[in-house]
């Protein structure tokens, strides 16, 4: 065979195999596999040689073959509550930016905050032999917890923290963040501060507890000022909540909404109703979503480190998948209070 003809293809499939790349690069198949996975044990010069050979031959890895050979695939299962929420879109994008250069793809499952749906998704994804798992928070069914533990697949939890031994997680204190927002409204002189919550997942309830802690410490907590709705958070719901809150016999001086979309809806409702923000009522949100800085007035909110969480969690998972020691299994990242014109 001439050099121009290239190596013989697999007899049945006609595709370039790992062995072809190994022969072209003058290394073993194991070295090719390790180099393309981005393992640090392979010298940079060898990695470059392998990648050049793979590109020249048009080699495309076979995920199914890799999974059969290693008992694990080349993808990471990522379970998040929603894709319609920018919060989780930012997180997933950060995860993908970290995993893709290392040779891993993401298989995203959307749980819709439903423990049964999460359990079913996890069963399905474990059937595809993922190399790792990224799951949101700690609120899930006991069956799902047992599935994760029994799978033996490296797992990192996102957005929340725990001190439990053997658990890997990256997040921030939702309770401390809620306390920071309420503390800011207290510092600007408000005493009647309402809390508007929707969805009522574990993270929202932790923010609510932070709000209570701040108001109790100031001696002005009133449970009648908590407005909690189980339906999904939205701009429309925020507008309706604002109207009801402000129609009460003693309207609050400030409102802390658990999500920015609720707060955005409240600001739009205030414009319709002619209620001046922050003169008549201050409004604060949570997450610093797009458009919050474009509201009238711009929304005071808490900026969450969701991109940083995605990057750090993916890096931690990469170390676990490579069998490397993780010195800090529980990583707490800082949040930032962003004070704007609404309060």
């Amino acid at each position: 065979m001439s050099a121009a003809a290239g190596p013989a293809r697999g007899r049945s499939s006609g595709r370039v195999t790992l062995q072809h790349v190994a022969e072209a690069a003058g290394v073993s198949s194991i070295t090719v596999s390790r180099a393309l996975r981005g393992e640090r044990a392979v010298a940079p010069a060898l990695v470059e040689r392998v990648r050049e050979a793979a590109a020249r031959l048009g080699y495309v890895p076979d995920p199914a073959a890799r999974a059969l050979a290693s008992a694990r695939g080349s993808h990471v299962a990522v379970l998040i509550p929603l894709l319609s929420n920018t919060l989780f879109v930012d997180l997933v994008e950060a995860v993908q930016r970290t995993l893709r250069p290392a040779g891993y793809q993401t298989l995203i499952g959307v749980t819709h905050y439903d423990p049964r749906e999460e359990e079913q998704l996890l069963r399905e994804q474990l059937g595809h032999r993922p190399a790792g798992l990224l799951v949101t928070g700690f609120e899930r069914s006991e069956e799902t917890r047992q599935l994760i533990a029994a799978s033996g697949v490296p797992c990192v939890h996102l957005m929340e923290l725990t001190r439990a031994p053997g658990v890997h997680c990256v997040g921030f204190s939702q309770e401390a963040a809620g306390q920071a927002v309420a503390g800011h409204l207290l510092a600007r002189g408000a005493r009647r501060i309402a809390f508007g919550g929707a969805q009522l997942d574990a993270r929202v309830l932790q923010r609510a507890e932070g709000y209570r802690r701040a108001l109790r410490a100031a001696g002005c907590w009133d449970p009648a000022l908590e407005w909690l709705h189980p339906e999904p958070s939205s701009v429309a719901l925020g507008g309706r909540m604002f109207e009801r809150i402000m129609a009460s016999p003693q309207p609050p001086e400030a409102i802390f909404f658990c999500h920015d979309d609720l707060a955005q809806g409240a600001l739009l409702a205030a414009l319709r109703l002619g209620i001046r923000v922050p003169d008549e009522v201050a409004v604060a949100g949570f997450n610093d979503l797009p458009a919050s800085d474009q509201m009238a007035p711009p929304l005071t909110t808490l900026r969450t480190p969701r991109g940083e969480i995605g990057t750090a969690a993916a890096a931690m998972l990469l170390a676990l998948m490579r069998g490397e020691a993780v010195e800090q299994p529980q990583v707490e990242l800082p949040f930032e209070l962003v004070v704007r014109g609404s309060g």
Side-chain angles (χ1 to χ4, degrees), residues 268-333:
L268 293 172
L271 286 174
R272 291 196 304 271
L273 298 170
I275 296 175
R276 292 172 298 136
V277 177
D279 296 337
E280 293 179 63
V281 61
V283 174
F286 197 97
N287 280 322
D288 194 23
L289 298 182
S292 287
D293 60 345
Q294 300 300 309
M295 302 301 293
L299 179 64
T300 289
T301 184
L302 187 132
R303 182 174 296 152
T304 53
R306 61 258 191 185
E308 293 86 344
I309 289 172
T311 299
M316 183 184 292
L317 186 62
L318 278 175
L320 292 172
M321 292 188 296
R322 291 167 176 164
E324 300 170 359
V326 175
E327 294 183 5
Q328 190 177 355
Q330 289 131 13
V331 175
E332 181 173 359
L333 296 175

Side-chain angles (χ1 to χ4, degrees), residues 76-80 91 95 99 118 122 131-138 140 148-149 151-162 166-171 308-322 324 326 328-333:
V76 168
V78 184
L79 299 183
I80 58 171
L91 188 151
V95 166
L99 292 178
E118 182 185 49
L122 184 62
L133 292 172
L134 290 169
V135 298
T136 306
F138 298 100
R140 52 185 41 88
I148 293 173
S151 71
V153 177
C155 180
V156 177
H157 297 74
L158 305 163
M159 301 302 291
E160 294 182 51
L161 300 169
T162 181
V167 178
H168 294 80
C169 58
V170 180
E308 293 86 344
I309 289 172
T311 299
M316 183 184 292
L317 186 62
L318 278 175
L320 292 172
M321 292 188 296
R322 291 167 176 164
E324 300 170 359
V326 175
Q328 190 177 355
Q330 289 131 13
V331 175
E332 181 173 359
L333 296 175

Side-chain angles (χ1 to χ4, degrees), residues 192-267:
R192 287 184 54 76
I193 302 174
F195 180 83
Q199 194 66 61
L200 306 187
D201 60 88
R203 289 171 294 285
V204 168
L205 297 179
Q206 290 165 27
R207 292 167 208 164
E209 189 53 42
Y211 152 87
R212 295 184 193 110
R213 185 197 296 177
L215 267 61
R216 285 183 183 126
C220 57
W221 176 62
D222 181 354
L225 290 174
E226 294 188 12
W227 297 71
L228 304 177
H229 293 257
E231 62 186 281
S233 178
S234 68
V235 172
L237 176 60
R240 295 196 300 272
M241 289 176 68
F242 181 81
E243 291 179 8
R244 293 170 190 164
I245 292 171
M246 296 306 294
S248 59
Q250 279 189 290
E253 302 161 295
I255 310 172
F256 168 22
F257 287 98
C258 73
H259 289 295
D260 267 16
D261 54 3
L262 294 175
Q264 290 171 2
L267 292 178

Side-chain angles (χ1 to χ4, degrees), residues 85-103:
N85 189 330
T86 304
L87 166 73
F88 296 110
V89 174
D90 292 345
L91 188 151
V92 168
E93 286 185 349
V95 166
Q96 293 194 145
R97 282 195 300 269
T98 305
L99 292 178
R100 280 184 63 84

